Amino acid sequence: MIAAMLANLGIAVTKFIAYLLSQSTSMLAESVHSLADTGNQILLLIGGRGARRAPTPEHPFGFGRERYVSAFVVSIVLFSLGGLFAVYEGIGKIAKPHPMESWWLPVAVLLVSMVMEALSLRTALKESRPARGGAGIIAFVRRAKAPELPVVLLEDTAALCGLAFALLGVVLTVVTGNGVWDGLGTVAIGVLLIAVALLLGAETRSLLIGEGASTAGLERIRQAALDGEGVDRIIHMRTLYLGPDELLVAMKIAVAPQRTACDVAGIIDALEQRVREAAPIVTLMFVEPDIDRAAEDESAAH
């Protein structure tokens, strides 16, 4: 991620120099976009480091959600610094269009940047393939619990599309001699960034509020809990992600009324071991035993 951050910073500087020489607002929007991506990667690095801190009395469940906080701030930065700035600059260019100077420079920078972003996106897609399965980018973003890879995928996709909008705006401005096209390309970049920021913000907000395990994960935990001896049924179960790699599980189980306290303790210990083997992501587990009232009533009836 550090290498990608430095590469984005270099691209941002190059784009800004191209803007100064050509006065293309599309290039200005893209340079701000690359600068925002650089800041976003810094925020994700800070969040990842902070999430590794050990629990404290004030934060007994640890700091795993700090990664979600960083991703949420990323969405705000992308929305304000990237999207709204581009829309503002684009509208200004449409209102007061001016000719483009040294048009070949922004075209060259955009083409090189498109190649670099395409390679970056290909790498991100390759790295995310095991986690994505057969899901598309949007579906993966909606279900992923670790924010870093979805953020990179969204940023790279938005960057590639934004470069295409910028190139189209620059080319049409050069061909027609009308600077309005450059402004329209800039507005398109801004709208794209705002849409990506809203999607990322909505998904990260859900994680901050608190999400439980997936349906498949719940079934895996449930099956592991019921596989052993002594657990008649699960009365209810709740799960909560404390961080991308930390899942809390709380459940109430029904045990036979004739079980002793020593028996119940052994049943719970074995249950926790089975669940952690089936779902290693379970870091905290609380099991409350209760009398199986149905079994007790049935025994009394006989």
Side-chain angles (χ1 to χ4, degrees):
M1 186 172 286
I2 294 177
M5 178 188 68
L6 294 175
N8 268 327
L9 182 60
I11 292 173
V13 172
T14 304
K15 288 177 180 177
F16 189 71
I17 292 172
Y19 156 71
L20 291 176
L21 295 175
S22 65
Q23 295 300 301
S24 166
T25 54
S26 294
M27 287 306 306
L28 178 60
E30 275 301 309
S31 63
V32 172
H33 180 189
S34 294
L35 185 63
D37 284 351
T38 304
N40 292 342
Q41 284 158 351
I42 293 173
L43 287 171
L44 291 175
L45 285 170
I46 293 172
R49 177 170 295 181
R52 291 193 292 270
R53 284 181 291 170
T56 64
E58 188 177 2
H59 298 91
F61 291 112
F63 296 85
R65 288 194 181 184
E66 191 156 338
R67 290 166 68 183
Y68 299 150
V69 174
S70 295
F72 190 73
V73 174
V74 163
S75 69
I76 296 173
V77 170
L78 199 63
F79 178 84
S80 57
L81 187 58
L84 293 181
F85 178 82
V87 170
Y88 172 79
E89 285 294 323
I91 292 174
K93 182 65 176 287
I94 293 171
K96 296 181 180 180
H98 52 77
M100 187 177 300
E101 302 172 7
S102 304
W103 62 266
W104 59 269
L105 183 58
V107 169
V109 170
L110 289 170
L111 288 174
V112 172
S113 298
M114 288 179 75
V115 172
M116 295 176 68
E117 290 292 353
L119 292 173
S120 177
L121 178 60
R122 187 181 70 172
T123 301
L125 287 171
K126 184 178 179 180
E127 290 181 357
S128 67
R129 192 172 295 125
R132 286 190 299 118
I137 293 177
I138 300 300
F140 174 61
V141 170
R142 293 183 66 87
R143 77 179 190 197
K145 307 303 179 186
E148 290 84 2
L149 204 49
V151 168
V152 171
L153 282 173
L154 282 175
E155 284 186 345
D156 285 349
T157 303
L160 197 56
C161 293
L163 288 167
F165 290 150
L167 182 61
L168 182 62
V170 169
V171 169
L172 288 175
T173 298
V174 172
V175 171
T176 63
N178 189 348
V180 169
W181 289 108
D182 188 32
L184 290 173
T186 307
V187 170
I189 294 169
V191 171
L192 172 69
L193 293 180
I194 290 172
V196 170
L198 291 176
L199 172 62
L200 180 60
E203 294 307 315
T204 310
R205 172 181 173 273
S206 178
L207 290 168
L208 280 171
I209 291 172
E211 289 188 1
S214 64
T215 302
L218 285 172
E219 186 56 35
R220 188 162 57 250
I221 293 169
R222 187 184 303 276
Q223 191 61 48
L226 293 173
D227 273 349
E229 182 183 355
V231 183
D232 294 347
R233 62 191 176 90
I234 296 175
I235 299 172
H236 60 71
M237 178 171 64
R238 301 288 185 271
T239 63
L240 178 68
Y241 272 93
L242 302 174
D245 307 313
E246 303 170 74
L247 183 67
L248 180 150
V249 176
M251 67 171 67
K252 177 181 279 193
I253 60 171
V255 297
Q258 66 270 22
R259 295 284 185 181
T260 65
C262 187
D263 289 340
V264 172
I267 289 169
I268 291 175
D269 288 342
L271 181 152
E272 290 180 346
Q273 183 178 353
R274 293 194 304 273
V275 168
R276 286 193 167 95
E277 288 175 354
I281 197 173
V282 176
T283 54
L284 283 176
M285 191 167 183
F286 302 98
V287 181
E288 178 186 355
D290 200 355
I291 300 299
D292 191 344
R293 303 297 177 186
E296 188 178 40
D297 293 343
E298 185 178 343
S299 177
H302 290 293

